[in-house]
Amino acid sequence: MSVLADIIEAEADEVSAFVLLLGEEQEALKSGNPEALPDIVARKSTVAGRISELTGRRNAALARNGLPADRPGVAGWIEKNPGDTAARKGWERLQRLAEEARELNRVN
C-alpha cells in the first residue's frame, strides 16, 4: 500500500467517525435533547482537526509527487499509478463519506 493510500484510508476513517457524530447530532435534535449538543460539537471539532491534518498530509504527499492538491491531485495520482487500487478504493470511499457528511450537515 502506498503512503498516499494509507493517508486516504486514515482520512476516510476520520470522516466516517464524523458521519457518526453527525448522526448523533441529528438524533439529539430530533429527540429534543439540546444538552447533548455541546459534547457532540466538541467531539466533532476534534475529529475535524484530525481530518484537516490528514488532508494536509495528503496534499503534501501529492506535492512531493509533483501533483496538485485535493481532487485533481488524487485523480492525477490514480491515473499515473493504476496499480494503486488501495488509493483508488480509499478515495472512492472518502468521496462517498464526504457526500454523506455534507448531506447530514445540511439536514442538521
Side-chain angles (χ1 to χ4, degrees), residues 18 21 25 36-48:
F18 197 78
L21 289 168
E25 182 179 57
L37 294 176
D39 176 61
I40 295 168
V41 169
R43 290 185 290 146
K44 280 175 36 183
S45 179
T46 298
V47 172

Side-chain angles (χ1 to χ4, degrees), residues 59-89:
N59 288 334
L62 291 168
R64 283 191 302 275
N65 286 281
L67 295 164
D70 300 319
R71 288 176 190 244
V74 175
W77 173 267
I78 291 168
E79 185 179 312
K80 290 181 179 183
N81 299 278
D84 192 350
T85 58
R88 181 181 47 78
K89 288 178 182 177

Side-chain angles (χ1 to χ4, degrees), residues 7 29-30 33 36 61 75 83 95:
I7 295 168
L29 291 167
K30 280 186 198 176
N33 186 13
Q95 295 307 297

